[in-house]
Amino acid sequence: MRRATRRVRRTAAVIAVLATGAVILAALNSGTRHGHLDPRSADPSGSRAVAELLKDRGVATRVVTTAREAAAATGPRTTLLVTDPDRLGATQRSVIRSAIDLSGGRTVLLAPGDHSLSELSPGVRTAGDAPDDVLAPRCDLPAATSAGRAATGGNLRYTTALPGTEAEAEAETGPGPGTGPGATACYPSGGRPTLLVLPTGTTGGDTVLLGSETILLNESLAEEGNASLALQLLGSRPDLVWYMPSLADSDPSAGSGDEDKSLFELVPPGWSWALLQLFVAAVLAALWRARRLGPLVTEKLPVAVRASETTEGRARLYRKAGARDRASTVLRAATRERLAALVGVPPAQAHDPAALVPAVSGRLTGEPRDVTALLFGTAPSDDAALVALADHLDALEREVRTS
């Protein structure tokens, strides 16, 4: 028993150590995984690379998660990047719109759809998806001409309801709505730009609509002119406010990113690895400590206890508990089973008075006695009566054996 207890404790200790190590490792790993388009994340879908390059150029990046924090941090020397405009609720869109009109700085809206364009950039709407990923600038915007070809396609492209002067659009698709007065359209796909720069009401301020997030991701920053274009769009001011809308800023009616997610999609990546490691550790521990299949091996008992000592110990327990009813029941049941075997009564009927009592009475030769009361009677009232019952049962069995 002690060996089994020690084994269980050792196994539990090993599993606890492995589980603790797995949890610590997951916690350490999860601290470096902040998510999609996060400037602190080194994952392929993060944006830490562009943030580090901006830091080397003297641009300070600040991450905020609410619209009010973002609006409070804007100014003429600030670039505000909104990573998911379509996630914003009506109140948050109104706050960001006020910041665009009053800050005098630059605002970059990343892949905004019609859900947010109606308020953040009135007069502009989406024109479908851009089929090509890498596009040529085809505009006179210095940042675009310096960067050259970049991965601004593959997602949204834009147009306005105002009369346009977009020569590329007319050349490829015929006359149609293009950009408004003072706007600069770049990287066209099918005649519609994937990058729009719109002046704001405040002198010196502008709004940049970027149809794709690709140029900001770690995995694609080194391709084509992505890095150059990203640095020039986000690094034109000394301060960059990186606004990642939180769940509190989300609009429940927004269609973007509101699909139901499974349980495993909601678990952070670090904890998934921790659960996997814990499962593997549990399997290995089970295989290590599992009982092997094979023939039984006899073991010597540490102590040999005589049958008489066991009987005496059990009797003392009955006496201490005052369980005369239980003791008498055990004595009578054992006697009935032995008598049934002696008189030829089937074991299944050993405790049936109608079957056992006549068979036993037929074997008695001495003075008559009440066999029914002896074998199926009530519990003794005191210890002396219990002792007497045991003596009578013993005498009855001896008489049947010798008859």
Side-chain angles (χ1 to χ4, degrees):
M1 186 67 181
R2 293 182 178 178
R3 288 184 179 179
T5 303
R6 286 197 296 268
R7 288 177 181 176
V8 171
R9 290 178 178 176
R10 285 198 298 266
T11 303
V14 171
I15 294 176
V17 171
L18 292 175
T20 303
V23 171
I24 293 175
L25 181 61
L28 294 176
N29 290 337
S30 62
T32 60
R33 304 173 71 92
H34 294 276
H36 186 65
L37 283 173
D38 195 310
R40 299 162 296 185
S41 174
D43 293 344
S45 61
S47 299
R48 183 175 178 178
V50 68
E52 291 295 328
L53 292 176
L54 288 171
K55 181 180 179 181
D56 294 339
R57 294 167 59 114
V59 178
T61 302
R62 175 186 174 185
V63 179
V64 298
T65 57
T66 66
R68 297 194 180 279
E69 286 181 313
T74 57
R77 294 168 52 84
T78 301
T79 298
L80 171 62
L81 171 64
V82 184
T83 60
D84 196 354
D86 287 351
R87 183 180 290 273
L88 302 180
T91 302
Q92 287 71 30
R93 291 196 299 270
S94 177
V95 171
I96 296 300
R97 181 63 206 182
S98 298
I100 293 174
D101 293 336
L102 302 176
S103 68
R106 167 169 287 181
T107 302
V108 179
L109 303 179
L110 197 56
D114 292 328
H115 181 74
S116 57
L117 283 174
S118 59
E119 189 166 351
L120 296 181
S121 186
V124 180
R125 66 179 186 272
T126 61
D129 295 337
D132 300 322
D133 292 338
V134 180
L135 303 170
R138 297 184 182 179
C139 66
D140 57 0
L141 182 69
T145 56
S146 175
R149 292 171 58 84
T152 61
N155 197 355
L156 297 176
R157 51 185 184 165
Y158 301 99
T159 186
T160 69
L162 300 175
T165 59
E166 190 173 0
E168 295 292 343
E170 295 185 3
E172 296 187 26
T173 63
T179 58
T184 304
C186 298
Y187 296 99
S189 174
R192 302 303 179 192
T194 58
L195 173 64
L196 271 177
V197 181
L198 308 170
T200 60
T202 305
T203 303
D206 59 14
T207 301
V208 178
L209 308 183
L210 184 59
S212 174
E213 63 191 24
T214 305
I215 67 170
L216 301 182
L217 301 179
N218 294 331
E219 61 184 354
S220 56
L221 187 65
E223 300 174 0
E224 300 290 342
N226 295 347
S228 176
L229 182 61
L231 292 177
Q232 293 183 81
L233 291 179
L234 302 182
S236 61
R237 272 79 171 173
D239 296 312
L240 171 61
V241 179
W242 200 295
Y243 175 32
M244 302 180 65
S246 62
L247 186 62
D249 277 0
S250 299
D251 187 352
S253 63
S256 174
D258 287 342
E259 295 83 2
D260 292 336
K261 295 184 177 180
S262 66
L263 175 63
F264 291 101
E265 291 175 333
L266 296 175
V267 176
W271 290 102
S272 299
W273 280 108
L275 293 176
L276 177 60
Q277 294 175 37
L278 182 59
F279 175 75
V280 172
V283 171
L284 293 177
L287 293 175
W288 171 46
R289 302 303 299 175
R291 184 181 297 277
R292 293 347 184 230
L293 299 178
L296 295 177
V297 178
T298 59
E299 296 183 3
K300 293 183 178 180
L301 295 177
V303 178
V305 181
R306 297 177 181 274
S308 59
E309 295 180 1
T310 304
T311 304
E312 183 178 354
R314 188 171 182 179
R316 287 178 177 175
L317 290 175
Y318 281 140
R319 181 179 181 181
K320 184 177 182 180
R324 287 183 293 272
D325 54 346
R326 175 62 179 166
S328 62
T329 300
V330 172
L331 290 173
R332 282 169 168 157
T335 303
R336 289 196 297 266
E337 292 174 357
R338 292 192 295 269
L339 289 174
L342 293 175
V343 298
V345 175
Q349 298 179 351
H351 305 289
D352 183 7
L356 182 63
V357 171
V360 172
S361 299
R363 300 287 293 271
L364 299 179
T365 59
E367 58 184 27
R369 67 193 70 182
D370 190 356
V371 177
T372 303
L374 187 58
L375 293 177
F376 298 95
T378 59
S381 59
D382 53 26
D383 290 347
L386 178 62
V387 173
L389 173 64
D391 292 338
H392 293 319
L393 290 173
D394 186 49
L396 177 64
E397 184 176 350
R398 281 199 309 270
E399 185 174 350
V400 172
R401 285 181 182 276
T402 57
S403 62

